[in-house]
């Protein structure tokens, strides 16, 4: 089937319902949203775009993003979302690698080596009579070609089919949250990534889609929109949750108007989610996924995030929850043998949302998809109740004196210090031990005393896990999705005199 059927259905059912909002201003009803998508589809087909061809989007969040996206789907094309913060050279690489027929942009002066469609071009395409029905598609048709954010090497194109995205959406409804037509899906993170994925279930249910006027993440704006629009749903990376809560604490906001914050995409430290639940109450759901099985591996449901009375509440908060209904999750050794309860192994998973493979990269596909299982590259442990606790990406694990040390464990401890705002623990090459543990620390009000941090570690974790050096740093290097770039920190270390 064609996913655009969901848009068509919502437009038939609730034509006058608000669909696309810019800030608080409604810019399209469902009838107008579907009409524009169907017109863009007709324009694309008239311009020679065939079903299965790729249309890229390299633009910041804006309401028309969704019309172009669904228009491409309506025409039977696949969408290639490119993070708007990438360098034009990086975007050009992706557009070229994907064989995109055209790239929708807001900046007409770009040179990406692929034909551009500016907002004016899109308007011209949309002048055509609408394509009456979405192009019929097979379930294994390519729908989304998503380039991984990868901190090393060239990004790889994850091939997601119609069936993958149907599975992602239905699993969301089963395990993450309900979606109501009165909801307002707020895009405070790039629509080219996880936050954008969540537009599908909101189109399916005829809910509102809100692009903040700032186009991005501004805590004050989000709380103001929550007050005006109500029933806000948003995806937030853990660093965004932390900033939102810090702001809400400062202004005394209790989260009224926000229905659900789905967090994930990186480690959420226990101290942070505890503070978040204390301020906002039961509004949080955690998901663990990756581009290769978008937003869909495990979930920590709302009642479990908020259930302070449970004897193992804190432990569960430190986990990423339980396998979603459509997923099988295992932890295995390098040969694919189960490591058993509570032991650490690589997380592998299987289910209908798992990608078909990497675009034109059979070697990477063969290394990642083995016997139908997706090897995530994440290390984790499953407890007796099925809760998965992630340790670190295998490449971030520190091996010191032959012992594995998981940076996150050390980070969790350091973060409990009241003067620590952010922290990242990495391994530094050591002639005797292979690697030694060092910590980069962002203080709330300037450098934090290393002796105090060391005393804290001594009281909480084994001696061999304690950082051997602390570096005060003003901000941690992060990629465009807010993920800490440990590779960059390791490079900094390599360049430092020992
Ligand atoms: P990406 O493919 O760019 O979305 O990155 C996916 C990776 O982010 C996963 O393989 C994990 O390493 C990490 N990740 C995603 N969700 C979580 C989570 N809830 N907790 C910790 N790490 C996460």
């Amino acid at each position: 089937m064609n996913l655009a059927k969901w848009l068509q259905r919502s437009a038939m059912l609730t034509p006058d319902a608000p669909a696309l909002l810019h800030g608080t201003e409604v810019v399209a009803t469902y009838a107008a949203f579907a009409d524009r998508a169907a017109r863009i589809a007709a324009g694309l087909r008239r311009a020679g775009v065939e079903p299965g061809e790729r249309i890229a989007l390299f633009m910041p969040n804006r309401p028309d993003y969704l019309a172009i996206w669904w228009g491409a789907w309506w025409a039977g094309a696949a969408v290639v979302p490119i993070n708007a913060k990438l360098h034009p050279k990086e975007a050009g690489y992706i557009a070229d690698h994907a064989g995109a027929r055209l790239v929708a942009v807001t900046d007409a002066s770009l040179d990406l080596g692929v034909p551009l469609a500016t907002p004016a071009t899109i308007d011209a395409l949309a002048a055509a009579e609408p394509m009456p029905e979405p192009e019929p598609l097979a379930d294994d048709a390519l729908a989304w070609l998503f380039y991984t954010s990868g901190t090393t090497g060239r990004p790889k194109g994850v091939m997601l089919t119609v069936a993958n995205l149907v599975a992602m959406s239905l699993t969301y409804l089963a395990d993450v949250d309900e979606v109501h037509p009165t909801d307002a899906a707020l895009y405070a993170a790039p629509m080219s990534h996880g936050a954008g994925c969540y537009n599908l279930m909101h189109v399916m249910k005829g809910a509102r889609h809100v692009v903040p006027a700032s186009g991005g993440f501004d805590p004050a704006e989000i709380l103001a929109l929550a007050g005006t629009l109500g029933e806000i749903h948003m995806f937030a990376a853990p660093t965004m949750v932390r900033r939102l809560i810090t702001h809400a604490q400062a202004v005394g906001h209790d989260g009224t108007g926000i229905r659900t914050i789905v967090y994930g995409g990186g480690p959420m430290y226990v101290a942070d989610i505890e503070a978040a639940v204390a301020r906002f109450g039961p509004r949080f759901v955690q998901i663990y996924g990756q581009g290769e099985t978008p937003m869909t591996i495990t979930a920590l449901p709302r009642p479990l995030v908020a259930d302070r009375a449970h004897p193992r509440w804190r432990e569960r908060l430190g986990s990423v929850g339980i396998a979603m209904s459509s997923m099988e999750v295992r932890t295995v050794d390098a040969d694919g043998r189960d490591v058993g309860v509570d032991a650490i192994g690589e997380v592998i998973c299987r289910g209908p949302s798992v990608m078909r493979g990497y675009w034109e990269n059979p070697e990477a596909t063969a290394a990642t998809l083995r016997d139908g299982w997706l090897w995530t590259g994440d290390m984790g442990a499953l407890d007796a109740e099925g809760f998965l606790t992630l340790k670190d990406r295998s490449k971030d694990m520190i091996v010191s004196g032959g012992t594995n040390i998981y940076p996150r464990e050390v980070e969790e401890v350091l973060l409990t210090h009241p003067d620590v705002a952010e922290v990242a623990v990495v391994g530094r090459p050591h002639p005797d031990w292979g690697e030694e543990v060092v910590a980069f620390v962002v203080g709330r009000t300037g450098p934090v005393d290393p002796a105090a941090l060391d005393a804290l570690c001594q009281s909480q974790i084994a001696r061999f896990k304690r950082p051997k050096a602390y570096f005060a740093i003003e901000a941690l290097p992060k990629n465009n999705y807010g993920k800490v770039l440990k590779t960059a920190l390791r490079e900094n270390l390599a360049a430092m005199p020992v």
Side-chain angles (χ1 to χ4, degrees), residues 78-91:
V79 172
V80 188
I82 306 178
N83 182 351
K85 289 187 188 150
L86 290 187
H87 189 280
K89 277 208 169 68
E90 297 170 308

Side-chain angles (χ1 to χ4, degrees), residues 189-207:
M191 292 166 97
S192 55
H193 209 70
C197 282
Y198 282 160
N199 97 75
L200 270 75
M201 18 315 212
H202 291 89
V203 168
M204 185 205 265
K205 295 286 179 185

Side-chain angles (χ1 to χ4, degrees), residues 149 193 264-267 286-291 320 378 390 393 483:
S149 59
H193 209 70
Q286 181 181 198
I287 62 97
Y288 158 52
Q290 58 176 202
V320 291
D378 292 316
L390 289 185
R393 307 263 323 147
K483 287 190 200 203

Side-chain angles (χ1 to χ4, degrees), residues 271-298:
D272 286 345
I273 187 65
E274 263 195 74
V277 173
R279 172 112 307 256
F280 276 6
R283 301 181 206 274
F284 298 92
V285 185
Q286 181 181 198
I287 62 97
Y288 158 52
Q290 58 176 202
E292 288 79 352
T293 172
M295 317 307 266
T296 314
I297 301 176
T298 64

Side-chain angles (χ1 to χ4, degrees), residues 106-416:
T106 43
D107 177 358
S109 67
L110 289 171
D111 177 11
L112 301 181
V114 172
L116 301 181
T118 61
T121 322
I122 300 289
D123 284 345
L125 286 175
E129 279 302 299
M131 187 171 156
E133 283 294 320
E135 175 73 24
L137 292 176
D139 286 352
D140 65 354
L142 180 68
W144 223 45
L145 186 56
F146 166 74
Y147 280 76
T148 55
S149 59
T151 48
T152 48
R154 288 289 203 182
K156 300 187 283 287
V158 173
M159 292 190 282
L160 296 165
T161 63
V162 169
N164 291 150
L165 298 182
V166 170
M168 172 192 80
S169 306
L170 297 181
T171 306
Y172 179 92
L173 297 175
D175 293 290
V176 182
D177 200 15
E178 294 173 358
V179 178
H180 309 137
T182 46
D183 287 349
L186 181 70
Y187 301 101
M191 292 166 97
S192 55
H193 209 70
C197 282
Y198 282 160
N199 97 75
L200 270 75
M201 18 315 212
H202 291 89
V203 168
M204 185 205 265
K205 295 286 179 185
R208 295 171 288 172
H209 303 263
V210 186
V211 175
S214 68
F217 177 74
D218 173 349
E221 184 182 28
I222 290 171
L223 296 183
L225 285 171
T228 325
L229 301 175
E231 302 292 289
I232 294 274
H233 167 286
M234 62 187 269
F235 173 77
T239 47
M240 291 164 60
V241 173
R242 172 182 261 264
R243 282 175 57 198
L244 185 64
I245 294 299
T246 304
H247 180 80
Q249 283 164 343
V251 299
H253 199 289
D254 66 359
T256 301
I258 297 178
R259 199 168 71 76
T260 303
I261 296 179
V262 180
Y263 66 92
M268 170 63 100
Y269 298 104
V270 175
D272 286 345
I273 187 65
E274 263 195 74
V277 173
R279 172 112 307 256
F280 276 6
R283 301 181 206 274
F284 298 92
V285 185
Q286 181 181 198
I287 62 97
Y288 158 52
Q290 58 176 202
E292 288 79 352
T293 172
M295 317 307 266
T296 314
I297 301 176
T298 64
L300 186 65
R302 183 192 304 262
L304 296 189
V305 176
D307 184 8
R308 290 158 184 255
H310 194 279
R312 298 182 59 198
W313 178 56
R314 275 213 177 78
E315 245 173 285
R316 288 178 167 184
L317 277 187
S319 80
V320 291
I322 53 176
M324 291 198 199
S325 301
S326 59
M327 297 300 286
E328 283 175 87
V329 179
R330 293 164 55 203
T331 42
V332 299
D333 65 17
D335 299 319
R337 284 185 298 248
D338 289 295
V339 293
V341 169
D342 290 336
I344 297 170
E346 181 164 346
V347 179
I348 66 172
C349 60
R350 182 163 75 169
S353 55
V354 172
M355 67 166 179
R356 202 166 63 180
Y358 294 112
W359 180 255
E360 293 184 347
N361 195 339
E363 299 80 36
T365 302
T368 309
L369 290 181
R370 296 184 232 160
D371 299 327
W373 290 85
L374 170 69
W375 288 62
T376 63
D378 292 316
M379 304 299 286
L382 280 164
D383 72 12
E385 293 165 324
F387 285 76
L388 176 68
T389 298
L390 289 185
K391 297 302 170 180
D392 282 278
R393 307 263 323 147
S394 41
K395 67 176 169 33
D396 289 332
M397 191 174 77
I398 301 169
V399 185
S400 188
T403 308
N404 295 347
I405 298 169
Y406 295 95
R408 176 157 177 192
E409 217 184 313
V410 186
E411 290 161 359
E412 295 271 12
V413 171
L414 293 172
L415 272 172
T416 61

